[in-house]
Amino acid sequence: MLGKYKPSSLKGTFDRNKYFEGWFQKVYLSELQASFVIIYGYATANSIDSFGFIQLLLPGKLPRFLYYPKNEITCDHNRHIVTMGTNKMSKDCIEIDEKDISIKLSFKNNQLIQTFKNSMGYSYYVPNLPCYHSVLNSCHLASGEIRHDDCHYSLVDEIGYMEKNWGTSFPESYFWLHAIDPNDTQVSLLCSHAEVKWLGKKFIRHVGHFRMDGREIDLRTLRNFSFKKIDQNTQIQIIRIESKSLKLDISIKIGKNVILKGPTNGELSRNIIHHADAIIDVNMIMDDKIRQFQMVGNFEKIDAV
């Protein structure tokens, strides 16, 4: 039974009605101080000719959307290996060769989360939630090259991250953030806070972790947990995460945003405002000690908090 929730395994089938399964990978390019993002997967309510999708976000570029017919897509049921046309995406590499873009990246030092609990714990046993989430790789090092038009990027041991979602639709209201310290692979923050609809009821759930000093704080396990907005304007948003043992004040300096696509009832049709490479300052109080972290990250806020 627990094997069903192995993070890297395929969660659904291509014949499932109004269903999606998608993977999010990002690599931070330290020299450019910007991220490369690739989002790929399949959406069963899309047309047969646009059944599979790849969304690409390169530094300083508008998002690029690629679609593939159903018969050109394969997904390994037990391992994370996805092919679309001649392109391959896995936990070990990204290999894309299209008309005006070429990506050849390999990953090492993968920090996998194999336990069935992963980011949602026993919620994986709740059937028919609109959206599930898991972290496939909390940190890895990416090397290779990216070519696009007249741009050429060479990567050597750049920090990467990988997660996935599956279900029918993204939550109507949510906050999602992932941030890293470009100078320390041991430091990262993942936080998601969403309003979930299930069986005619609404409830709030949160997932995430704060990694530092070789340890990981699972936000789900914190007692007396609260998540609230304490300040916001057009340039900065401050979120406070607080529990009996921990307080995190997360200051997000809002930069440029782009429009990506998200799922609704198994169709990739919803516009998602995605903020890339926001400057994120974290002030942490734990064990009567104050620590500060300077991070950079990606976030989305859809009528949440």
Side-chain angles (χ1 to χ4, degrees), residues 70-228:
K70 185 176 181 179
N71 63 1
E72 292 186 8
I73 304 166
T74 66
C75 297
D76 189 289
H77 283 270
N78 297 310
R79 300 173 297 163
H80 174 59
I81 302 176
V82 178
T83 63
M84 296 189 186
T86 60
N87 308 313
K88 176 183 177 181
M89 289 75 66
S90 75
K91 69 176 182 61
D92 298 312
C93 69
I94 295 175
E95 298 175 356
I96 293 177
D97 190 7
E98 292 292 346
K99 181 179 179 181
D100 58 353
I101 187 167
S102 173
I103 302 171
K104 297 187 182 302
L105 299 179
S106 62
F107 308 129
K108 67 178 183 180
N109 292 359
N110 295 330
Q111 298 182 24
L112 309 178
I113 302 178
Q114 296 289 4
T115 171
F116 81 96
K117 292 183 179 179
N118 201 275
S119 63
M120 290 184 64
Y122 290 99
S123 294
Y124 290 125
Y125 286 106
V126 180
N128 300 319
L129 289 176
C131 188
Y132 298 86
H133 173 276
S134 68
V135 177
L136 271 68
N137 205 330
S138 58
C139 182
H140 55 219
L141 298 180
S143 297
E145 63 177 16
I146 300 173
R147 295 179 182 271
H148 181 259
D149 292 334
D150 57 347
C151 299
H152 177 213
Y153 309 114
S154 294
L155 289 69
V156 178
D157 291 348
E158 302 285 13
I159 300 174
Y161 167 78
M162 182 179 182
E163 67 176 38
K164 73 175 293 186
N165 293 96
W166 66 97
T168 58
S169 307
F170 275 0
E172 292 184 11
S173 174
Y174 71 89
F175 174 94
W176 171 90
L177 176 147
H178 179 265
I180 64 166
D181 181 341
N183 300 309
D184 188 348
T185 60
Q186 295 297 310
V187 177
S188 68
L189 171 65
L190 169 68
C191 178
S192 180
H193 186 81
E195 180 183 87
V196 179
K197 291 184 178 180
W198 187 67
L199 298 180
K201 297 181 179 180
K202 294 181 180 181
F203 54 95
I204 301 296
R205 286 293 182 268
H206 65 273
V207 301
H209 62 249
F210 189 41
R211 298 172 61 249
M212 58 166 185
D213 301 337
R215 64 179 295 188
E216 180 174 303
I217 301 171
D218 187 341
L219 301 185
R220 289 181 305 108
T221 63
L222 298 177
R223 300 180 61 184
N224 301 324
F225 180 93
S226 67
F227 181 100
K228 60 185 177 181

Side-chain angles (χ1 to χ4, degrees), residues 254-268:
I254 301 172
K256 294 182 179 180
N257 63 70
V258 297
I259 302 297
L260 299 176
K261 290 294 185 179
T264 298
N265 292 324
E267 181 180 12
L268 202 71

